[in-house]
Amino acid sequence: GACREYDAPFAASYLRLVRACADGEAQREAILHHSRELGFLTGEEGRTMLDAHTRAAVLVGRPFADGEQPYDFGKQTISKRVTGDVQTMLRERLTPPRKEIYSLHR
């Protein structure tokens, strides 16, 4: 179906991550904290992975940033800009995202 329920702690943590991503690079530590809490990261990643993860998170959070609404998804270049970081994350990822992420990010 088009709808799926998520448990309240997961949803709250995910929304905190989205807010940190929307607030940009200045929220790097919050992005990394919430990413570990949600299982995107293990805490054992190297600097290259953490940098790529943070850059990608900030890019995908941009549509939710203050002053960006309404966001013109038709003119966005996020997918092109995040490509290099995705390659790094695929190469250096230590754990797959938790299963809820696959249905959430459709």
Side-chain angles (χ1 to χ4, degrees), residues 83-103:
T83 300
D85 289 324
V86 168
Q87 294 302 317
T88 298
M89 291 185 292
L90 289 172
R91 185 177 60 250
E92 299 202 17
R93 178 170 303 284
L94 300 179
T95 187
R98 55 194 281 177
K99 64 181 177 165
E100 294 93 340
I101 299 302
Y102 295 104
S103 61

Side-chain angles (χ1 to χ4, degrees), residues 4-93:
R4 186 178 191 295
E5 287 189 33
Y6 299 96
D7 65 63
F10 169 79
S13 186
Y14 189 78
L15 289 175
R16 286 190 295 272
L17 175 61
V18 170
R19 180 77 259 158
C21 294
D23 288 343
E25 182 69 35
Q27 293 300 314
R28 177 186 173 89
E29 291 309 313
I31 291 167
L32 296 175
H33 169 78
H34 297 304
S35 294
R36 286 188 291 271
E37 186 176 75
L38 286 163
F40 284 109
L41 303 171
T42 66
E44 300 297 320
E45 289 81 7
R47 179 71 180 206
T48 301
M49 173 62 179
L50 297 177
D51 290 348
H53 179 81
T54 302
R55 280 191 304 269
V58 168
L59 276 172
V60 299
R62 178 139 188 137
F64 306 102
D66 290 338
E68 290 290 331
Q69 285 81 38
Y71 189 80
D72 188 348
F73 284 94
K75 293 183 180 177
Q76 63 85 20
T77 60
I78 294 171
S79 55
K80 289 180 185 176
R81 293 166 51 202
V82 77
T83 300
D85 289 324
V86 168
Q87 294 302 317
T88 298
M89 291 185 292
L90 289 172
R91 185 177 60 250
E92 299 202 17
R93 178 170 303 284

